[in-house]
Amino acid sequence: MSPTDFAALAVYISPGLIAFLLALSLLVWLYVHSAAQLRNSRQQRLEELQDSLRIYGRLAGCLQTATQNGFNNSEKQYQNGLIHALQEAKAAPYLTPHLQEQVQASLRECDTFRRELLLKSLEREMNKLIEERRLVLLESHAPGWGTALWKLLRPAAGPLALAGIVWLVSRLVVELIASSHVDVSLPDTAQSASWLIGCAWMRFVSGLIALLYVYRLMTLRRQNDLDVTASHFPTSLLCMVIAAVALFQWIGPEASPYILAVQLVLFLIGFRLTRGRSRSDRPYVGHPGLIKADASQHQDLHAADKDKTADSSLAEEHIRS
């Protein structure tokens, strides 16, 4: 096409159509960008899981070797390797607070009982990470019917949020323009106009809060029982409730203050429901409950050693006879 043809075509294209095409192009670019970010995030998550498994596996191997050898042969070599592995475990991406406390306790005093206790905890955490890695690989390479559909819808959170913000701003502008045409010469009318303007702003803030929490709900990552963030269920439930409360704005502008107040109260409640356990709530090394559990396990191990000793002595007497 010649430049003359482009000029003639531009005459017939309205500015509204041009704006629509530009907005559509922006939404498509946001969708592609969000999909690429999610793919990179999934790959980074897989690398973090693999790094944690590699570090835990090295520490578990050192603990198992030290337990089997009892530090009788090459004691200094085993000790140096174990200390290095314990220090490296503190840099694991998925290190849990409970496991971190056990690592710190083992660095201070690493006897046979602590090594066996830490080894059991490591095996339990490694099983969780292995299951998490399996789910991530399954989601990436062989997703189910619902998972595949969610992978298509999840990158649309960014474009939908942008479209929602544009709609909220346009509705606010329309309501403010309508309020500005009210005759303010009368006292009652002026008070009513001020009330409508305040309700319009409160509806805008309430809708914006609901939109942000819908975006949060769509981008919230499932943790699969890993102790790295707050629990997934309370966070998802609060996001849905805060977003659903905003739907009552259709009752009328008079309900805007109450709906915004309910959303703010739910927001403050979220700090209580979604926070992790405090340090005082978690059992620490030296905690009475943990000491009792350790003592009972130690007694069981001591009883097992006694049984093994008795069995070996009976076997020796049988051989002598």
Side-chain angles (χ1 to χ4, degrees), residues 86 90 99-109 285:
L86 287 170
K90 293 191 293 185
L99 194 58
Q100 182 181 3
E101 293 171 359
Q102 287 190 335
V103 169
Q104 292 287 357
S106 298
L107 284 171
R108 289 192 298 266
E109 182 183 0
V285 179

Side-chain angles (χ1 to χ4, degrees), residues 181-202:
H181 288 88
V182 177
D183 188 8
V184 295
S185 59
L186 299 176
D188 295 339
T189 308
Q191 185 177 4
S192 177
S194 301
W195 172 253
L196 291 176
I197 292 174
C199 289
W201 278 104
M202 284 185 285

Side-chain angles (χ1 to χ4, degrees), residues 70-201:
F71 284 141
N72 292 326
N73 300 324
S74 303
E75 180 179 356
K76 191 68 176 179
Q77 179 182 359
Y78 286 126
Q79 281 184 344
N80 293 335
L82 180 57
I83 291 174
H84 179 75
L86 287 170
Q87 293 288 356
E88 188 181 10
K90 293 191 293 185
Y94 282 90
L95 181 66
T96 61
H98 178 66
L99 194 58
Q100 182 181 3
E101 293 171 359
Q102 287 190 335
V103 169
Q104 292 287 357
S106 298
L107 284 171
R108 289 192 298 266
E109 182 183 0
C110 190
D111 54 3
T112 304
F113 174 69
R114 291 191 185 276
R115 288 199 302 268
E116 293 178 354
L117 192 63
L118 180 58
L119 183 59
K120 291 180 180 179
S121 299
L122 275 175
E123 290 176 350
R124 182 169 58 252
E125 293 298 326
M126 287 174 66
N127 290 332
K128 288 183 180 180
L129 294 180
I130 290 171
E131 179 65 18
E132 175 77 7
R133 184 182 60 181
R134 186 188 68 82
L135 293 176
V136 173
L137 290 174
L138 186 64
E139 180 183 353
S140 301
H141 301 293
W145 179 259
T147 304
L149 181 61
W150 178 245
K151 286 177 65 177
L152 292 175
L153 295 177
R154 192 178 178 188
L160 290 177
L162 180 60
I165 291 175
V166 172
W167 180 74
L168 288 175
V169 172
S170 62
R171 190 182 68 172
L172 176 65
V173 171
V174 170
E175 291 179 351
L176 292 179
I177 292 174
S179 301
S180 64
H181 288 88
V182 177
D183 188 8
V184 295
S185 59
L186 299 176
D188 295 339
T189 308
Q191 185 177 4
S192 177
S194 301
W195 172 253
L196 291 176
I197 292 174
C199 289
W201 278 104

Side-chain angles (χ1 to χ4, degrees), residues 13-313:
I13 296 178
S14 63
L17 180 60
I18 295 176
F20 173 76
L21 293 176
L22 290 176
L24 184 61
S25 302
L26 178 61
L27 294 178
V28 171
W29 179 82
L30 282 176
Y31 179 85
V32 174
H33 181 67
S34 299
Q37 280 189 331
L38 289 174
R39 185 167 55 252
N40 294 334
S41 176
R42 193 179 300 112
Q43 182 64 30
Q44 181 182 2
R45 183 182 178 189
L46 187 61
E47 291 176 358
E48 290 176 353
L49 289 169
Q50 192 64 32
D51 291 340
S52 298
L53 282 171
R54 189 180 298 110
I55 293 173
Y56 289 169
R58 188 179 298 113
L59 177 57
C62 292
L63 289 171
Q64 191 169 2
T65 302
T67 302
Q68 290 177 353
N69 289 272
F71 284 141
N72 292 326
N73 300 324
S74 303
E75 180 179 356
K76 191 68 176 179
Q77 179 182 359
Y78 286 126
Q79 281 184 344
N80 293 335
L82 180 57
I83 291 174
H84 179 75
L86 287 170
Q87 293 288 356
E88 188 181 10
K90 293 191 293 185
Y94 282 90
L95 181 66
T96 61
H98 178 66
L99 194 58
Q100 182 181 3
E101 293 171 359
Q102 287 190 335
V103 169
Q104 292 287 357
S106 298
L107 284 171
R108 289 192 298 266
E109 182 183 0
C110 190
D111 54 3
T112 304
F113 174 69
R114 291 191 185 276
R115 288 199 302 268
E116 293 178 354
L117 192 63
L118 180 58
L119 183 59
K120 291 180 180 179
S121 299
L122 275 175
E123 290 176 350
R124 182 169 58 252
E125 293 298 326
M126 287 174 66
N127 290 332
K128 288 183 180 180
L129 294 180
I130 290 171
E131 179 65 18
E132 175 77 7
R133 184 182 60 181
R134 186 188 68 82
L135 293 176
V136 173
L137 290 174
L138 186 64
E139 180 183 353
S140 301
H141 301 293
W145 179 259
T147 304
L149 181 61
W150 178 245
K151 286 177 65 177
L152 292 175
L153 295 177
R154 192 178 178 188
L160 290 177
L162 180 60
I165 291 175
V166 172
W167 180 74
L168 288 175
V169 172
S170 62
R171 190 182 68 172
L172 176 65
V173 171
V174 170
E175 291 179 351
L176 292 179
I177 292 174
S179 301
S180 64
H181 288 88
V182 177
D183 188 8
V184 295
S185 59
L186 299 176
D188 295 339
T189 308
Q191 185 177 4
S192 177
S194 301
W195 172 253
L196 291 176
I197 292 174
C199 289
W201 278 104
M202 284 185 285
R203 290 182 68 178
F204 173 75
V205 174
S206 176
L208 189 61
I209 291 174
L211 190 62
L212 291 176
Y213 275 98
V214 169
Y215 179 80
R216 168 64 174 162
L217 184 62
M218 293 185 67
T219 57
L220 193 63
R221 194 180 76 181
R222 188 163 58 97
Q223 296 299 335
N224 298 323
D225 201 24
L226 290 179
D227 188 11
V228 292
T229 60
S231 178
H232 181 273
F233 178 73
T235 304
S236 302
L237 184 61
L238 275 176
C239 290
M240 288 187 290
V241 172
I242 291 175
V245 167
L247 296 176
F248 291 96
Q249 295 284 0
W250 298 106
I251 296 175
E254 296 81 7
S256 301
Y258 306 102
I259 293 173
L260 182 59
V262 170
Q263 288 179 316
L264 293 178
V265 170
L266 291 173
F267 171 75
L268 295 176
I269 292 175
F271 287 102
R272 176 68 178 176
L273 294 181
T274 60
R275 69 178 183 179
R277 289 188 302 170
S278 63
R279 180 63 181 82
S280 59
D281 294 335
R282 297 196 306 264
Y284 53 88
V285 179
H287 190 274
L290 191 60
I291 291 176
K292 291 180 181 179
D294 293 349
S296 61
Q297 293 181 4
H298 189 69
Q299 289 178 359
D300 294 339
L301 292 174
H302 187 63
D305 293 339
K306 282 186 175 181
D307 293 339
K308 291 181 181 178
T309 305
D311 293 339
S312 60
S313 60

